[in-house]
Amino acid sequence: MSGSPRSEAIRAAALDLFTRLGYEATTMTDIGAAVGIRGPSLYKHVSSKQDLLVQITRSTMDDLLAAHRAAVATTDDPAERLRRATETHVRYHARHRREAFVGTRELRSLVEPHRAEVLARRAQYEACFRDLITAGVNAGRFRVASARLASYAILDLGMGVAVWFREDGEITEEAVVWEYGEIALRIVGANASR
């Protein structure tokens, strides 16, 4: 599917319907109706419902990986790198709650080889956090028994935000992002001194 306005509208409708109804309960007719296209005509723009799910889950992981790389690119300090990575992770999940929800809940609906491809991207993303934590441990800045468990805990912070955060809620995005960065540093037992 190209990046045309019609294609983007179809993808947005699919995301909304997958979030509200679930992948299995959503039909191509539902997606077409949401964008004013009759079901059969929708196939001129997208090959299948599965293709839409793949696009959503793949682009979510690609966006997270790119944002992570950008967040840590300008510093070598282990604590600052982990803070920036966590803040970026949390901010993404606050701003893209539906993508996060569909990406987690509908993994089961992906067929091979797409499921393996998305799971590989998720593993790569987790490894980014684990590598940051391991580097901090090796530098004497972090103290954790398991870098993997610490990375899972930090990743869960952001994923949880996708469930409860609301733009009009009592806690601002900036406050959540800052506090979760602090929590991540506590999870790894960050030592402020070099």
Side-chain angles (χ1 to χ4, degrees), residues 122-185:
R122 286 171 62 111
Q124 179 185 359
Y125 187 60
E126 182 276 325
C128 290
F129 279 85
R130 188 170 3 110
D131 291 347
L132 290 177
I133 295 165
T134 299
V137 169
N138 292 341
R141 299 286 304 282
F142 301 159
R143 294 177 318 278
V144 294
S146 169
R148 183 180 299 271
L149 286 178
S151 71
Y152 290 162
I154 292 167
L155 290 170
D156 278 348
L157 292 174
M159 291 162 45
V161 166
V163 174
W164 64 263
F165 180 77
R166 296 294 174 265
E167 292 86 359
D168 60 351
E170 66 182 63
I171 304 171
T172 67
E173 177 184 306
E174 287 307 312
V176 173
V177 165
W178 171 259
E179 186 61 34
Y180 275 38
E182 289 289 302
I183 292 169
L185 292 174

Side-chain angles (χ1 to χ4, degrees), residues 23-163:
Y23 175 81
E24 292 300 326
T26 299
T27 66
M28 288 296 276
T29 301
D30 295 332
I31 296 168
V35 293
I37 299 175
R38 299 187 74 196
S41 298
L42 192 59
Y43 290 101
K44 293 178 183 174
H45 303 281
V46 63
S47 62
S48 67
K49 182 172 75 163
Q50 180 71 193
D51 183 53
L52 286 165
L53 181 60
V54 169
Q55 287 178 38
I56 291 165
T57 55
R58 184 187 294 145
S59 67
T60 296
M61 290 314 306
D62 289 348
D63 290 348
L64 282 165
L65 285 161
H68 176 88
R69 285 190 291 272
V72 302
T74 59
T75 183
D76 292 327
D77 178 68
E80 187 60 24
R81 287 171 63 98
L82 183 60
R83 170 184 283 292
R84 290 179 187 182
T86 301
E87 288 178 351
T88 298
H89 176 70
V90 171
R91 189 179 312 281
Y92 181 89
H93 284 78
R95 293 180 179 177
H96 302 277
R97 293 187 310 274
R98 293 180 308 156
E99 289 87 344
F101 180 75
V102 170
T104 299
R105 184 180 75 181
E106 297 300 348
L107 268 176
R108 66 181 185 244
S109 299
L110 287 168
V111 298
E112 295 300 346
H114 307 298
R115 186 173 194 278
E117 176 189 338
V118 171
L119 286 173
R121 280 176 165 88
R122 286 171 62 111
Q124 179 185 359
Y125 187 60
E126 182 276 325
C128 290
F129 279 85
R130 188 170 3 110
D131 291 347
L132 290 177
I133 295 165
T134 299
V137 169
N138 292 341
R141 299 286 304 282
F142 301 159
R143 294 177 318 278
V144 294
S146 169
R148 183 180 299 271
L149 286 178
S151 71
Y152 290 162
I154 292 167
L155 290 170
D156 278 348
L157 292 174
M159 291 162 45
V161 166
V163 174

